[in-house]
Amino acid sequence: MSARFNLWWSGRSPRERIMLLVMAGLLAVTLGWLLLVRPLGDALADARARHDRAVVARGEAVAQAAAIAGLERGGPTALPAPINVWLGQKAGEVGFTVARIDPISATQATVVINAVRPQTFFKWLADLEHGGGVIVEGLSATANNDATLSVEATFRVRAK
């Protein structure tokens, strides 16, 4: 094979040899660019984008943790009734039909509502957390066929 190449190469004029060497050099540069530089550049750009997303997510998590800590530091609001009775009253005031309220302890209760509009429910949760003296510990929501949610939320009284 190399003998055939040497025979072919020696049959070229000096000008053709220079042009073939320039062509091979440009081909090597192009392949190096396409196979090494661009993939590494794309990987670096992806890594930077992932880093930026991680920084934003960390900032959001820190802000949420600070908001939760602020809720915890706000001090408890003395509920006028046991938590399960009070939650039933608050749900009734908004117009929710509560399937059941299960008291877990003196400071915790689980509320189950079979059909509720999402916007109304989440506004009610925000109102309870900001001014009601309770915190949502757990929430499970399932979409119903009629654009409503079936929810199960666990509340606890805000600690001192």
Side-chain angles (χ1 to χ4, degrees):
M1 174 86 176
S2 73
R4 290 180 67 194
F5 176 75
N6 286 336
L7 180 64
W8 175 80
W9 185 256
S10 63
R12 305 287 133 218
S13 69
R15 182 177 174 201
E16 288 176 331
R17 289 180 190 169
I18 291 172
M19 287 177 31
L20 287 171
L21 287 174
V22 169
M23 181 190 71
L26 290 174
L27 179 66
V29 168
T30 302
L31 287 177
W33 174 261
L34 292 175
L35 297 176
L36 292 175
V37 175
R38 281 188 60 187
L40 289 176
D42 291 345
L44 183 60
D46 288 345
R48 285 183 179 145
R50 281 193 318 271
H51 178 264
D52 291 344
R53 286 192 304 268
V55 167
V56 169
R58 182 187 181 280
E60 289 173 352
V62 167
Q64 290 173 353
I68 290 170
L71 286 174
E72 289 288 334
R73 282 190 304 269
T77 303
L79 298 180
I83 188 169
N84 57 334
V85 174
W86 183 81
L87 284 171
Q89 291 171 349
K90 289 293 185 181
E93 289 173 6
V94 179
F96 296 153
T97 304
V98 177
R100 70 177 196 273
I101 299 177
D102 299 326
I104 298 171
S105 68
T107 60
Q108 287 182 315
T110 299
V111 176
V112 177
I113 303 173
N114 292 330
V116 63
R117 288 188 357 207
Q119 297 86 353
T120 308
F121 178 73
F122 289 111
K123 182 183 180 324
W124 179 67
L125 284 183
D127 292 344
L128 288 179
E129 283 189 337
H130 292 296
V134 294
I135 295 174
V136 178
E137 276 198 333
L139 176 67
S140 172
T142 307
N144 295 331
N145 292 333
D146 59 353
T148 61
L149 294 177
S150 174
V151 295
E152 180 175 339
T154 303
F155 296 90
R156 76 174 164 86
V157 175
R158 189 178 306 163
K160 285 188 177 186

